[in-house]
Amino acid sequence: MRPAYSQHSFAVPDSWHALPNGERLKEQIAASLNEWWPQIFGYHLLKLGPLSSDVSSQLCPVPHQFGLDPEKGQVKAQWDALPFRSASIDACLTTFCLEFHRDPHGMLREVDRVLVSGGHLLLVGFNPVSALGLGYLWPPNRHRFPWKGRLFTPARVQDWLSVLGYRVMAQECLSQSAFFGAAGSFSSLQSWMTQWCPGLGSVYLIVAEKLDCPLTPARPRWRVRRPLVVNPVPELAGRDQTAAREDADR
């Protein structure tokens, strides 16, 4: 298994048009997120990355929703250096961010820092164990999105989240497309895979909840018993001997 950290930087898709069939993919992701938005509560929703800002979240009851990206977005900052206080964000949406970041572990730790206890992380990524992985067999694709980045399996991402103390609420696959040809190509094959191989989707959605363990000290229920005095105190022993002599003289 290759390490997650990379010494090289990666180009980031700045719009959905940079991805094959990007508009259709955005609609599929938005439709799946619409089932989760009514369950997200709080005051601040962070959309991380240029693609997250374009995903509709009208069904989310969180009043303040904003995007963050180094190039475009309401807030311009690096993904692994968020300009927010710790425990100040209630929910975060990351769309295809881990694949194009040199330090995905550091990015997740920074997102974990700003999320409140009980906050939600909605993570969308590409699944290499799918028809999408066949694109690596064609060398010219390594210079195109999404094969220009690094793809991580959903199981590996869930393992990272478990280390950070998250409870994975759901994982689902959203698309069976191989991103080859037009949007309607291989429609019968995609329908068959959706019915019989739903876990091999090219795009996955992970919904996780942050759990914090309180560090409240607990009082011990037991007490140390006083040790039994075996040898008498020297002063008391001397007094007892003096009293015994006086009684003998009498």
Side-chain angles (χ1 to χ4, degrees), residues 121-181:
L121 174 60
L122 300 96
L123 197 150
V124 181
F126 292 110
N127 183 16
V129 188
S130 64
L132 177 66
L134 298 177
Y136 285 106
L137 301 178
W138 184 247
N141 282 339
R142 296 183 179 272
H143 303 284
R144 301 173 52 201
F145 292 115
W147 300 278
K148 292 175 64 175
R150 298 174 301 162
L151 308 186
F152 305 103
T153 62
R156 189 174 182 183
V157 176
Q158 288 190 40
D159 183 61
W160 296 346
L161 295 176
S162 64
V163 172
L164 293 175
Y166 282 76
R167 178 177 68 92
V168 177
M169 302 174 59
Q171 175 200 326
E172 55 180 316
C173 294
L174 312 181
S175 176
Q176 297 288 347
S177 174
F179 299 101
F180 302 139

Side-chain angles (χ1 to χ4, degrees), residues 15 35 50 65 103 160:
S15 66
E35 300 179 3
Q65 305 178 13
D103 187 11
W160 296 346

Side-chain angles (χ1 to χ4, degrees), residues 224-228:
V224 180
R225 296 181 178 180
R226 294 182 178 180
L228 298 177

Side-chain angles (χ1 to χ4, degrees), residues 68-242:
L68 182 146
D69 190 69
E71 301 298 333
K72 70 172 186 177
Q74 296 173 331
V75 180
K76 295 183 179 181
Q78 299 295 329
W79 298 349
D80 54 355
L82 302 179
F84 308 118
R85 294 184 302 175
S86 300
S88 60
I89 303 298
D90 298 281
C92 179
L93 170 65
T94 65
T95 307
F96 306 133
C97 294
L98 296 178
E99 292 80 0
F100 305 101
H101 196 276
R102 62 186 302 179
D103 187 11
H105 290 169
M107 192 197 76
L108 286 178
R109 285 194 298 266
E110 187 66 3
V111 172
D112 174 71
R113 180 186 66 84
V114 301
L115 276 180
V116 300
S117 178
H120 292 84
L121 174 60
L122 300 96
L123 197 150
V124 181
F126 292 110
N127 183 16
V129 188
S130 64
L132 177 66
L134 298 177
Y136 285 106
L137 301 178
W138 184 247
N141 282 339
R142 296 183 179 272
H143 303 284
R144 301 173 52 201
F145 292 115
W147 300 278
K148 292 175 64 175
R150 298 174 301 162
L151 308 186
F152 305 103
T153 62
R156 189 174 182 183
V157 176
Q158 288 190 40
D159 183 61
W160 296 346
L161 295 176
S162 64
V163 172
L164 293 175
Y166 282 76
R167 178 177 68 92
V168 177
M169 302 174 59
Q171 175 200 326
E172 55 180 316
C173 294
L174 312 181
S175 176
Q176 297 288 347
S177 174
F179 299 101
F180 302 139
S185 301
F186 311 104
S187 58
S188 59
L189 179 60
Q190 294 180 24
S191 301
W192 182 87
M193 293 183 64
T194 302
Q195 181 178 2
W196 299 103
C197 304
L200 299 180
S202 300
V203 177
Y204 63 85
L205 167 65
I206 295 179
V207 181
E209 180 184 8
K210 179 180 178 180
L211 301 178
D212 284 340
C213 297
L215 299 179
T216 304
R219 296 181 179 180
R221 296 183 178 181
W222 51 272
R223 295 181 179 180
V224 180
R225 296 181 178 180
R226 294 182 178 180
L228 298 177
V229 180
V230 179
N231 298 324
V233 182
E235 296 182 358
L236 297 179
R239 293 178 182 178
D240 294 341
Q241 293 177 2
T242 304

Side-chain angles (χ1 to χ4, degrees), residues 1-12:
M1 181 181 298
R2 295 182 178 180
Y5 181 82
S6 175
Q7 298 289 345
H8 306 283
S9 59
F10 300 90
V12 180

Side-chain angles (χ1 to χ4, degrees), residues 24-45:
R24 182 182 181 185
L25 180 60
K26 182 179 70 172
E27 295 176 357
Q28 294 177 348
I29 294 175
S32 298
L33 288 174
N34 285 339
E35 300 179 3
W36 290 99
W37 287 133
Q39 306 179 37
I40 307 299
F41 301 97
Y43 300 96
H44 306 286
L45 169 62

